[in-house]
Amino acid sequence: MTSRIRSAALVAASLALPLSACGGSSEAEPASGADAPSGPWSFTDGSGEEVTLDETPTRIIAHAGAARALMSFGIEPVAIYADESVDSDPNLRDLDLDGIEIIGEEWGKIDVEKAASLRPDLIVADWWPAEEAHSGVENGVEATSKKIAELAPMVGATQGESILALAEGYEDLAKSLGADVDDAEIAADKERFEEVRAEFEEVATSRDDLSVYAMSPYEDKVYVANPEFAPELLDFIAWGLDLKAPETPDPDFPYWETLSMENADKYQPDLILWDDRDDLDNVAELNADYGEQQPTWFSIKAAEAGAVASWPAFWLHTYGDYADQLEQLTEAIRDADGTVGD
Amino acid sequence: MGTESRRRAPLLAAGLVALLALVVALAFVSLTQGSRDIAFADAMRALLTLQAGDTMDGTVTLELRVPRTILGILVGAALGLAGAVLQGVTRNPLADPGIMGINAGAALFVVVAIAWLGITHVQGYVWFGMAGALVATVIVYTIASMGREGATPVKLALAGVAVTAGFASVTSAVMVTRTDVLDQIRFWQVGSLAGRYEPVVLGVAPFLLLGTVAALACGRTLNGLALGEDTARGLGIDVRRARWATFAVVTVLAGAATAACGPIVFVGLVIPHVARFVCGPDYRWILPYSLALGPVVLLLADVVGRLVARPGEVQVGVLLCVLGAPAFIAVVRWGRLAEL
């Protein structure tokens, strides 16, 4: 039961990442930093539906992850709704949020009244194919939150099988909104990502001796990720990493296989990807702490050896973040000892 | 306490011995069965030598199952006894430690520990749980003691409800605004024997043992109180002091149990009724029967929870909720819900 709660919480958190970048301060001044092209505008949403407007939208409300993506291309929303506190949301760190209204800091809760007062002409949030909904209006959110979809058309890239595709989707969207995606500064992130990705692929492909599992150790359960439902894990696999799926994902919630602490050692990877979205870039300490609390955690030899790397679970949206994370992961894979889990 | 009870004494004593044997048997099952398949010989080797032998099976047996089983016995006994004592002293058949504000107090302090003191696991916040239980019951007792008659059962129940409501509203206020806290406290609030290892057991065991001994000594006093305040006085019982002392015992027992495992329902409420159904009204029998029946129920539910959802587990608190409601209805429906 608790495992379901945790899993639900994880998924909720993962689903909650779309940022609604609602760019609207007060009067007619567009919040968008780019020069919006005039004339009819259209964009094909993650759901496959084509949305068409007479004018290019300038007053955008975005969910946190989508906001990060848009802002990386210089498109500034008028408002953002997040699924957690602005201080802890990995997608809002290091962003200049001056002049942007925050209309939600908890999953499922959006201040739609405030959103309406900003007169948005577009809502941007990830599309979740499994739930057939955009972030912020999935099943389970507060009924009033869903009304945000009535303020303006809702579009976003899809959280399907690839974070790269998601990032590309937001690039397309930003372009349609007038962003100069070829601007040297903006394009630099993408170029860096391409380089890092190529190197990741080279290193990952060369390490076919390495077996890897993604895990989310939490309280007295170990949740082993099913990559089928984690776009960034599917990317890693596509780029050559031998990331394994658990044998028996929980039937009612196949995002994970839940292991009790008695069975923590069921899988013996050489490298553990640790779901660190609550505490970024701190996996070594998380692993040590968890091992101290849980007598059986270090029965996973990789955990005992400290062979853990950060798994940017369910929050990546931009080329820049993806490049950073991939770079770390590439190093971890290069340095990993392929015999630890044998 | 008349001739009938004296005639039944050998029978009741035999029953008690059988129950204690059942506790031992269940403890053995709890040590050797679980969500992990461990060969019987390996489990026994670990138990007899007390060496994990650097194997996962040994570690699971000694570091996971031993503390879990000890905690199951101690907490089961504590909740059973606390319920029996509380129902006796308040003469309220629906009394369980929850109505004294113990759960609410423990929950509030645990929430505070998580939200503002950055304490993130059960080893750390068990102490806050105990402190919260203590604070809540002291407030309840103080409020109930005001006025001439002192802490009468009715005033205690009312004060308990009021304090519970007050504490719970603060707890909710924190949880509504802090989802990170909500996410964490769910694990404590569901009630579980899992994830509590040696430090927790060693921490609460002295309180539970002390409380258990003290509770077993309350039989004669509770028998007196059951006859009504005036009669009890006539028998030479200092009613105020008796109430105060029995309350202290319940606070220690239920507070330590709740702090360690989260609020576990059903055991404290139903076990005393089952004991009363078997033993009749004599608390000198009800108390030891509650002591033995509590661990039987808790261990049984925990073992079942560990076996039904392999390789995961179902928390004992969840299982008791599912099993507890029908069981309680059965007790009310068919049992002679003894007048208290």
PDB file of all heavy atoms in Angstrom, chain A residues 86-108:
ATOM      1  N   VAL A  86       9.017  26.715  -5.246  1.00  0.00           N
ATOM      2  CA  VAL A  86       9.938  27.302  -6.222  1.00  0.00           C
ATOM      3  C   VAL A  86      11.388  27.048  -5.802  1.00  0.00           C
ATOM      4  O   VAL A  86      12.274  26.864  -6.629  1.00  0.00           O
ATOM      5  CB  VAL A  86       9.656  28.813  -6.350  1.00  0.00           C
ATOM      6  CG1 VAL A  86      10.773  29.506  -7.096  1.00  0.00           C
ATOM      7  CG2 VAL A  86       8.339  29.033  -7.063  1.00  0.00           C
ATOM      8  N   ASP A  87      11.605  27.000  -4.500  1.00  0.00           N
ATOM      9  CA  ASP A  87      12.977  26.823  -4.003  1.00  0.00           C
ATOM     10  C   ASP A  87      13.513  25.424  -4.249  1.00  0.00           C
ATOM     11  O   ASP A  87      14.722  25.217  -4.302  1.00  0.00           O
ATOM     12  CB  ASP A  87      13.036  27.099  -2.493  1.00  0.00           C
ATOM     13  CG  ASP A  87      12.568  28.504  -2.184  1.00  0.00           C
ATOM     14  OD1 ASP A  87      12.852  29.395  -3.004  1.00  0.00           O
ATOM     15  OD2 ASP A  87      11.919  28.696  -1.146  1.00  0.00           O
ATOM     16  N   SER A  88      12.610  24.447  -4.342  1.00  0.00           N
ATOM     17  CA  SER A  88      13.103  23.073  -4.449  1.00  0.00           C
ATOM     18  C   SER A  88      12.889  22.481  -5.838  1.00  0.00           C
ATOM     19  O   SER A  88      13.433  21.431  -6.143  1.00  0.00           O
ATOM     20  CB  SER A  88      12.429  22.195  -3.389  1.00  0.00           C
ATOM     21  OG  SER A  88      11.045  22.104  -3.638  1.00  0.00           O
ATOM     22  N   ASP A  89      12.095  23.126  -6.679  1.00  0.00           N
ATOM     23  CA  ASP A  89      11.824  22.554  -7.989  1.00  0.00           C
ATOM     24  C   ASP A  89      13.103  22.585  -8.834  1.00  0.00           C
ATOM     25  O   ASP A  89      13.658  23.650  -9.093  1.00  0.00           O
ATOM     26  CB  ASP A  89      10.717  23.362  -8.684  1.00  0.00           C
ATOM     27  CG  ASP A  89      10.186  22.640  -9.909  1.00  0.00           C
ATOM     28  OD1 ASP A  89      11.020  22.117 -10.677  1.00  0.00           O
ATOM     29  OD2 ASP A  89       8.962  22.601 -10.101  1.00  0.00           O
ATOM     30  N   PRO A  90      13.567  21.400  -9.266  1.00  0.00           N
ATOM     31  CA  PRO A  90      14.824  21.386 -10.022  1.00  0.00           C
ATOM     32  C   PRO A  90      14.737  22.210 -11.310  1.00  0.00           C
ATOM     33  O   PRO A  90      15.749  22.674 -11.820  1.00  0.00           O
ATOM     34  CB  PRO A  90      15.050  19.897 -10.330  1.00  0.00           C
ATOM     35  CG  PRO A  90      13.758  19.220 -10.062  1.00  0.00           C
ATOM     36  CD  PRO A  90      13.018  20.052  -9.069  1.00  0.00           C
ATOM     37  N   ASN A  91      13.525  22.382 -11.822  1.00  0.00           N
ATOM     38  CA  ASN A  91      13.392  23.131 -13.062  1.00  0.00           C
ATOM     39  C   ASN A  91      13.382  24.646 -12.868  1.00  0.00           C
ATOM     40  O   ASN A  91      13.412  25.391 -13.840  1.00  0.00           O
ATOM     41  CB  ASN A  91      12.129  22.694 -13.800  1.00  0.00           C
ATOM     42  CG  ASN A  91      12.402  21.496 -14.692  1.00  0.00           C
ATOM     43  OD1 ASN A  91      13.363  21.505 -15.453  1.00  0.00           O
ATOM     44  ND2 ASN A  91      11.594  20.462 -14.560  1.00  0.00           N
ATOM     45  N   LEU A  92      13.281  25.099 -11.642  1.00  0.00           N
ATOM     46  CA  LEU A  92      13.218  26.549 -11.438  1.00  0.00           C
ATOM     47  C   LEU A  92      14.490  27.105 -10.812  1.00  0.00           C
ATOM     48  O   LEU A  92      14.620  28.311 -10.625  1.00  0.00           O
ATOM     49  CB  LEU A  92      12.005  26.904 -10.558  1.00  0.00           C
ATOM     50  CG  LEU A  92      10.657  26.563 -11.197  1.00  0.00           C
ATOM     51  CD1 LEU A  92       9.505  26.982 -10.298  1.00  0.00           C
ATOM     52  CD2 LEU A  92      10.519  27.237 -12.554  1.00  0.00           C
ATOM     53  N   ARG A  93      15.417  26.216 -10.505  1.00  0.00           N
ATOM     54  CA  ARG A  93      16.631  26.731  -9.871  1.00  0.00           C
ATOM     55  C   ARG A  93      17.431  27.551 -10.886  1.00  0.00           C
ATOM     56  O   ARG A  93      17.379  27.303 -12.082  1.00  0.00           O
ATOM     57  CB  ARG A  93      17.460  25.582  -9.304  1.00  0.00           C
ATOM     58  CG  ARG A  93      18.298  24.846 -10.282  1.00  0.00           C
ATOM     59  CD  ARG A  93      18.643  23.468  -9.776  1.00  0.00           C
ATOM     60  NE  ARG A  93      18.321  22.522 -10.825  1.00  0.00           N
ATOM     61  CZ  ARG A  93      19.156  22.216 -11.814  1.00  0.00           C
ATOM     62  NH1 ARG A  93      20.345  22.710 -11.849  1.00  0.00           N
ATOM     63  NH2 ARG A  93      18.808  21.394 -12.765  1.00  0.00           N
ATOM     64  N   ASP A  94      18.128  28.528 -10.384  1.00  0.00           N
ATOM     65  CA  ASP A  94      18.990  29.405 -11.183  1.00  0.00           C
ATOM     66  C   ASP A  94      18.254  30.164 -12.286  1.00  0.00           C
ATOM     67  O   ASP A  94      18.853  30.587 -13.257  1.00  0.00           O
ATOM     68  CB  ASP A  94      20.139  28.617 -11.850  1.00  0.00           C
ATOM     69  CG  ASP A  94      20.926  27.802 -10.840  1.00  0.00           C
ATOM     70  OD1 ASP A  94      20.977  28.231  -9.671  1.00  0.00           O
ATOM     71  OD2 ASP A  94      21.465  26.754 -11.209  1.00  0.00           O
ATOM     72  N   LEU A  95      16.944  30.295 -12.164  1.00  0.00           N
ATOM     73  CA  LEU A  95      16.230  31.089 -13.164  1.00  0.00           C
ATOM     74  C   LEU A  95      15.923  32.463 -12.582  1.00  0.00           C
ATOM     75  O   LEU A  95      15.666  32.596 -11.385  1.00  0.00           O
ATOM     76  CB  LEU A  95      14.908  30.412 -13.558  1.00  0.00           C
ATOM     77  CG  LEU A  95      14.971  29.176 -14.448  1.00  0.00           C
ATOM     78  CD1 LEU A  95      13.559  28.729 -14.797  1.00  0.00           C
ATOM     79  CD2 LEU A  95      15.771  29.452 -15.714  1.00  0.00           C
ATOM     80  N   ASP A  96      15.936  33.477 -13.438  1.00  0.00           N
ATOM     81  CA  ASP A  96      15.535  34.806 -12.990  1.00  0.00           C
ATOM     82  C   ASP A  96      14.017  34.893 -13.109  1.00  0.00           C
ATOM     83  O   ASP A  96      13.472  35.006 -14.205  1.00  0.00           O
ATOM     84  CB  ASP A  96      16.211  35.863 -13.861  1.00  0.00           C
ATOM     85  CG  ASP A  96      15.784  37.257 -13.433  1.00  0.00           C
ATOM     86  OD1 ASP A  96      15.127  37.375 -12.374  1.00  0.00           O
ATOM     87  OD2 ASP A  96      16.112  38.216 -14.158  1.00  0.00           O
ATOM     88  N   LEU A  97      13.350  34.805 -11.966  1.00  0.00           N
ATOM     89  CA  LEU A  97      11.885  34.781 -11.984  1.00  0.00           C
ATOM     90  C   LEU A  97      11.284  36.160 -11.700  1.00  0.00           C
ATOM     91  O   LEU A  97      10.087  36.274 -11.480  1.00  0.00           O
ATOM     92  CB  LEU A  97      11.362  33.760 -10.965  1.00  0.00           C
ATOM     93  CG  LEU A  97      11.809  32.309 -11.207  1.00  0.00           C
ATOM     94  CD1 LEU A  97      11.331  31.395 -10.090  1.00  0.00           C
ATOM     95  CD2 LEU A  97      11.307  31.796 -12.548  1.00  0.00           C
ATOM     96  N   ASP A  98      12.106  37.178 -11.733  1.00  0.00           N
ATOM     97  CA  ASP A  98      11.594  38.538 -11.511  1.00  0.00           C
ATOM     98  C   ASP A  98      10.516  38.869 -12.529  1.00  0.00           C
ATOM     99  O   ASP A  98      10.704  38.662 -13.727  1.00  0.00           O
ATOM    100  CB  ASP A  98      12.740  39.552 -11.658  1.00  0.00           C
ATOM    101  CG  ASP A  98      13.474  39.725 -10.351  1.00  0.00           C
ATOM    102  OD1 ASP A  98      13.089  39.035  -9.376  1.00  0.00           O
ATOM    103  OD2 ASP A  98      14.423  40.527 -10.301  1.00  0.00           O
ATOM    104  N   GLY A  99       9.409  39.364 -12.037  1.00  0.00           N
ATOM    105  CA  GLY A  99       8.340  39.781 -12.940  1.00  0.00           C
ATOM    106  C   GLY A  99       7.484  38.639 -13.431  1.00  0.00           C
ATOM    107  O   GLY A  99       6.557  38.846 -14.201  1.00  0.00           O
ATOM    108  N   ILE A 100       7.788  37.424 -13.000  1.00  0.00           N
ATOM    109  CA  ILE A 100       6.949  36.288 -13.390  1.00  0.00           C
ATOM    110  C   ILE A 100       6.104  35.885 -12.188  1.00  0.00           C
ATOM    111  O   ILE A 100       6.632  35.677 -11.101  1.00  0.00           O
ATOM    112  CB  ILE A 100       7.812  35.096 -13.848  1.00  0.00           C
ATOM    113  CG1 ILE A 100       8.667  35.497 -15.050  1.00  0.00           C
ATOM    114  CG2 ILE A 100       6.930  33.897 -14.177  1.00  0.00           C
ATOM    115  CD1 ILE A 100       9.611  34.411 -15.528  1.00  0.00           C
ATOM    116  N   GLU A 101       4.795  35.819 -12.404  1.00  0.00           N
ATOM    117  CA  GLU A 101       3.914  35.424 -11.306  1.00  0.00           C
ATOM    118  C   GLU A 101       4.050  33.927 -11.056  1.00  0.00           C
ATOM    119  O   GLU A 101       4.138  33.142 -12.007  1.00  0.00           O
ATOM    120  CB  GLU A 101       2.449  35.728 -11.670  1.00  0.00           C
ATOM    121  CG  GLU A 101       2.143  37.202 -11.851  1.00  0.00           C
ATOM    122  CD  GLU A 101       1.762  37.873 -10.539  1.00  0.00           C
ATOM    123  OE1 GLU A 101       1.803  37.185  -9.498  1.00  0.00           O
ATOM    124  OE2 GLU A 101       1.437  39.070 -10.574  1.00  0.00           O
ATOM    125  N   ILE A 102       4.051  33.542  -9.776  1.00  0.00           N
ATOM    126  CA  ILE A 102       4.024  32.120  -9.429  1.00  0.00           C
ATOM    127  C   ILE A 102       2.592  31.788  -9.015  1.00  0.00           C
ATOM    128  O   ILE A 102       2.084  32.334  -8.032  1.00  0.00           O
ATOM    129  CB  ILE A 102       4.993  31.813  -8.277  1.00  0.00           C
ATOM    130  CG1 ILE A 102       6.416  32.245  -8.651  1.00  0.00           C
ATOM    131  CG2 ILE A 102       4.945  30.327  -7.933  1.00  0.00           C
ATOM    132  CD1 ILE A 102       6.994  31.555  -9.863  1.00  0.00           C
ATOM    133  N   ILE A 103       1.936  30.944  -9.774  1.00  0.00           N
ATOM    134  CA  ILE A 103       0.514  30.686  -9.494  1.00  0.00           C
ATOM    135  C   ILE A 103       0.279  29.250  -9.035  1.00  0.00           C
ATOM    136  O   ILE A 103      -0.848  28.761  -9.063  1.00  0.00           O
ATOM    137  CB  ILE A 103      -0.362  31.008 -10.718  1.00  0.00           C
ATOM    138  CG1 ILE A 103       0.098  30.207 -11.937  1.00  0.00           C
ATOM    139  CG2 ILE A 103      -0.313  32.500 -11.038  1.00  0.00           C
ATOM    140  CD1 ILE A 103      -0.878  30.281 -13.100  1.00  0.00           C
ATOM    141  N   GLY A 104       1.321  28.585  -8.582  1.00  0.00           N
ATOM    142  CA  GLY A 104       1.141  27.243  -8.042  1.00  0.00           C
ATOM    143  C   GLY A 104       2.466  26.719  -7.545  1.00  0.00           C
ATOM    144  O   GLY A 104       3.485  26.867  -8.230  1.00  0.00           O
ATOM    145  N   GLU A 105       2.456  26.148  -6.331  1.00  0.00           N
ATOM    146  CA  GLU A 105       3.691  25.562  -5.806  1.00  0.00           C
ATOM    147  C   GLU A 105       3.404  24.199  -5.193  1.00  0.00           C
ATOM    148  O   GLU A 105       4.065  23.771  -4.269  1.00  0.00           O
ATOM    149  CB  GLU A 105       4.326  26.481  -4.749  1.00  0.00           C
ATOM    150  CG  GLU A 105       4.920  27.742  -5.338  1.00  0.00           C
ATOM    151  CD  GLU A 105       5.735  28.527  -4.317  1.00  0.00           C
ATOM    152  OE1 GLU A 105       6.932  28.232  -4.183  1.00  0.00           O
ATOM    153  OE2 GLU A 105       5.162  29.426  -3.662  1.00  0.00           O
ATOM    154  N   GLU A 106       2.370  23.552  -5.694  1.00  0.00           N
ATOM    155  CA  GLU A 106       2.007  22.242  -5.174  1.00  0.00           C
ATOM    156  C   GLU A 106       1.297  21.488  -6.282  1.00  0.00           C
ATOM    157  O   GLU A 106       0.496  22.079  -7.025  1.00  0.00           O
ATOM    158  CB  GLU A 106       1.068  22.417  -3.976  1.00  0.00           C
ATOM    159  CG  GLU A 106       0.756  21.134  -3.278  1.00  0.00           C
ATOM    160  CD  GLU A 106      -0.195  21.343  -2.098  1.00  0.00           C
ATOM    161  OE1 GLU A 106      -0.269  22.476  -1.578  1.00  0.00           O
ATOM    162  OE2 GLU A 106      -0.857  20.398  -1.713  1.00  0.00           O
ATOM    163  N   TRP A 107       1.580  20.180  -6.381  1.00  0.00           N
ATOM    164  CA  TRP A 107       0.964  19.403  -7.444  1.00  0.00           C
ATOM    165  C   TRP A 107      -0.553  19.461  -7.317  1.00  0.00           C
ATOM    166  O   TRP A 107      -1.093  19.277  -6.226  1.00  0.00           O
ATOM    167  CB  TRP A 107       1.431  17.943  -7.391  1.00  0.00           C
ATOM    168  CG  TRP A 107       0.968  17.167  -8.589  1.00  0.00           C
ATOM    169  CD1 TRP A 107       1.583  17.094  -9.791  1.00  0.00           C
ATOM    170  CD2 TRP A 107      -0.206  16.361  -8.685  1.00  0.00           C
ATOM    171  NE1 TRP A 107       0.850  16.300 -10.648  1.00  0.00           N
ATOM    172  CE2 TRP A 107      -0.257  15.842  -9.996  1.00  0.00           C
ATOM    173  CE3 TRP A 107      -1.240  16.036  -7.810  1.00  0.00           C
ATOM    174  CZ2 TRP A 107      -1.272  15.016 -10.450  1.00  0.00           C
ATOM    175  CZ3 TRP A 107      -2.262  15.211  -8.254  1.00  0.00           C
ATOM    176  CH2 TRP A 107      -2.273  14.705  -9.562  1.00  0.00           C
ATOM    177  N   GLY A 108      -1.203  19.733  -8.440  1.00  0.00           N
ATOM    178  CA  GLY A 108      -2.660  19.705  -8.453  1.00  0.00           C
ATOM    179  C   GLY A 108      -3.329  20.993  -8.045  1.00  0.00           C
ATOM    180  O   GLY A 108      -4.551  21.075  -8.035  1.00  0.00           O
TER     181      GLY A 108
END
